[in-house]
Amino acid sequence: MRELDEAMARLEALMAGARQAEEAVAEWSARRFTGRADEGRIEATTDALGVLLDLRIHPLSRARLDARRLADAITSAIARAEEAAEAARNALMPGA
C-alpha cells in the first residue's frame, strides 16, 4: 500500500506541475510585447507569437524620415517587439 501511496503522490505532484506550466503558458500567450524605434516615436506591438497587432508612427517620424529610413525604423520596432516576446518565452521555458 505504501508504494501505491507514493506513486499517487508523485502523480499528483506531476499533475500540479503540468497545471502550473499550462497556466504560465496561457498567461504568456495573452501578453503583448512592444518594441520602439526612432527615439520611441515608432511603436510596434506584437502578441507572444510575433504577430503584429498594432503599429503607431508619430507624425514627426513620417515628416523627417525618408521612405527607406521609415521602413527600417518600422522593421526595427517590430523586431524589438518580437525579441521581447522571445525573451519572455525563454524565461518561461528555458532551453525551448
Side-chain angles (χ1 to χ4, degrees):
M1 245 348 179
R2 181 176 173 196
E3 289 177 2
L4 181 58
D5 289 340
E6 289 174 0
M8 289 301 291
R10 284 194 302 269
L11 178 60
E12 288 175 13
L14 284 171
M15 290 173 56
R19 278 192 299 275
Q20 287 176 336
E22 186 177 337
E23 290 170 4
V25 168
E27 180 181 314
W28 170 76
S29 297
R31 288 180 59 190
R32 301 296 176 252
F33 301 89
T34 301
R36 291 178 180 82
D38 192 35
E39 300 175 4
R41 289 186 287 266
I42 297 176
E43 182 177 283
T45 303
T46 67
D47 67 9
L49 298 176
V51 175
L52 183 63
L53 301 174
D54 189 38
L55 179 63
R56 295 173 191 262
I57 304 169
H58 191 279
L60 184 58
S61 292
R62 281 188 245 167
R64 71 178 199 84
L65 299 176
D66 63 27
R68 180 173 298 279
R69 289 180 31 211
L70 181 60
D72 288 345
I74 291 168
T75 301
S76 178
I78 294 169
R80 288 178 179 153
E82 290 171 341
E83 290 165 2
E86 184 177 349
R89 183 199 60 168
N90 290 339
L92 177 66
M93 300 177 282

